[in-house]
Amino acid sequence: MFDNKNARTYQTGDLFLGLDENNRPIGISTDRHAITIAGSRSGKGVGLIIPNLKRWPDNVLCIDPKGENAELTYQDREKMGQAVHVLDPFGSADVPDRIRAKFNPLVSIDLTSNRARQDILDIANGLVISHDPKHMEWVEGARSLLAGIIAYVLVDAPPEHHNFASVRNILMLPKETASGGMGLWEHAQEMTGDDRIGGLIRNAGVTLITGMESEKSMEKDFLGGARRATEWLDDDAIAECLSDTSFQMSDLKTGDASVFLVLPAGGSFLKTYGAFLRLFVKTAINAMT
């Protein structure tokens, strides 16, 4: 409630703040960031986030741990002409299947662009979270290795395999396979002769070979770090959500799109799938810039 009689009446495109004592909607027009700080279950969602999602006429990117923002506002967003996409790998939100989305950031990489190398590095950066700045050399080594394998998959594999499952499968191969298929050693040898994408593939191949040849080396640690950092990709629900793309993140800049990421915050979800959240946010920021 507002007792300032001179407060601005809400207009379309404002940040909605609430109602005054006469039920007059109050808003503020600003191009600055806004932050709301309050304890759990204090009404941030029902008092600010949801009312603004029901009114905001432009594009939206919403991190929605409980799924209730998507549940309560998707119809309002659609009435505004927005295409609503709900990424909800664990089925937490009660929304119709028609707006459930998949998102594979690898599909949007243009290998002919001079940004391809950096786009791949950004994705690898999102996959490997740094927990200790003292160990950044190992983190960066794992990221570089992942970037090279991603580039290798994108330039060599057929389009239907341009996904994280393919990257993870190569990463987890044994040095040699008994079935006659290509083991990690053979893939690494192919990679060392490929200097496309600014040397990402070649460098990763050298790292793999050095790691497999050594009993103990930094390269071996890079491989172990990349494997541990991508273990969450083995989850069937996550793999399915990342398997294909039903929208482009660039729609947030060029189209009329409302994108919700529903990732439960309770238990160990954020600890286990924090890289998924990080990957999503980094991809969105890159698309906007």
Side-chain angles (χ1 to χ4, degrees), residues 154-171:
L154 290 178
V155 301
D156 269 16
E160 62 269 22
H161 293 291
H162 291 181
N163 52 51
F164 289 116
S166 298
V167 173
R168 175 71 175 165
N169 288 340
I170 290 176
L171 191 60

Side-chain angles (χ1 to χ4, degrees), residues 104-178:
N104 176 7
L106 301 186
V107 171
S108 62
I109 295 176
D110 179 4
L111 295 178
T112 66
S113 167
N114 58 10
R115 281 192 51 87
R117 186 178 191 277
Q118 188 58 51
D119 287 343
I120 292 171
L121 284 169
D122 286 341
I123 287 174
N125 181 282
L127 289 170
V128 184
I129 297 176
S130 171
H131 298 285
D132 187 345
K134 296 178 182 178
H135 298 153
M136 284 307 296
E137 191 169 7
W138 282 266
V139 171
E140 293 298 341
R143 288 173 175 170
S144 179
L145 176 57
L146 271 174
I149 295 176
I150 290 170
Y152 175 59
V153 166
L154 290 178
V155 301
D156 269 16
E160 62 269 22
H161 293 291
H162 291 181
N163 52 51
F164 289 116
S166 298
V167 173
R168 175 71 175 165
N169 288 340
I170 290 176
L171 191 60
M172 295 306 296
L173 283 171
K175 183 176 180 179
E176 297 175 343
T177 62

Side-chain angles (χ1 to χ4, degrees), residues 13-251:
D14 284 357
L15 175 66
F16 175 75
L17 298 178
L19 303 174
D20 68 8
E21 58 185 6
N22 297 314
N23 283 330
R24 182 170 63 103
I26 303 299
I28 181 173
S29 176
T30 179
D31 58 0
R32 297 174 181 267
H33 298 292
I35 183 170
T36 302
I37 301 174
S40 298
R41 306 186 68 82
S42 59
K44 297 186 297 295
V46 69
L48 186 67
I49 296 173
I50 290 173
N52 275 285
L53 285 172
K54 285 175 173 286
R55 291 170 171 83
W56 181 250
D58 298 314
N59 297 344
V60 163
L61 176 67
C62 181
I63 309 300
D64 188 11
K66 300 175 185 177
E68 62 183 16
N69 295 329
E71 290 176 11
L72 296 174
T73 68
Y74 78 88
Q75 291 177 313
D76 299 272
R77 306 296 310 159
E78 288 184 324
K79 287 176 182 177
M80 298 178 201
Q82 295 267 309
V84 178
H85 311 286
V86 181
L87 291 167
D88 182 18
F90 300 102
S92 301
D94 183 13
V95 296
D97 288 342
R98 62 181 174 79
I99 63 172
R100 292 191 180 277
K102 295 181 180 182
F103 179 62
N104 176 7
L106 301 186
V107 171
S108 62
I109 295 176
D110 179 4
L111 295 178
T112 66
S113 167
N114 58 10
R115 281 192 51 87
R117 186 178 191 277
Q118 188 58 51
D119 287 343
I120 292 171
L121 284 169
D122 286 341
I123 287 174
N125 181 282
L127 289 170
V128 184
I129 297 176
S130 171
H131 298 285
D132 187 345
K134 296 178 182 178
H135 298 153
M136 284 307 296
E137 191 169 7
W138 282 266
V139 171
E140 293 298 341
R143 288 173 175 170
S144 179
L145 176 57
L146 271 174
I149 295 176
I150 290 170
Y152 175 59
V153 166
L154 290 178
V155 301
D156 269 16
E160 62 269 22
H161 293 291
H162 291 181
N163 52 51
F164 289 116
S166 298
V167 173
R168 175 71 175 165
N169 288 340
I170 290 176
L171 191 60
M172 295 306 296
L173 283 171
K175 183 176 180 179
E176 297 175 343
T177 62
S179 62
M182 289 180 68
L184 189 57
W185 180 265
E186 288 181 84
H187 281 292
Q189 287 184 313
E190 280 196 359
M191 293 168 70
T192 58
D194 193 332
D195 60 2
R196 288 175 289 179
I197 317 298
L200 284 181
I201 302 171
R202 178 196 61 223
N203 297 346
V206 171
T207 295
L208 287 172
I209 287 177
T210 305
M212 286 185 283
E213 285 182 331
S214 309
E215 285 297 321
K216 187 176 182 180
S217 66
M218 290 183 65
E219 289 81 4
K220 198 174 193 70
D221 291 338
F222 297 162
L223 176 57
R227 284 172 167 171
R228 289 190 298 274
T230 56
E231 186 176 357
W232 59 278
L233 290 171
D234 290 336
D235 188 295
D236 289 342
I238 292 289
E240 176 65 17
C241 188
L242 291 170
S243 65
D244 201 356
T245 288
S246 53
F247 71 100
Q248 295 293 332
M249 198 67 81
S250 59
D251 294 345

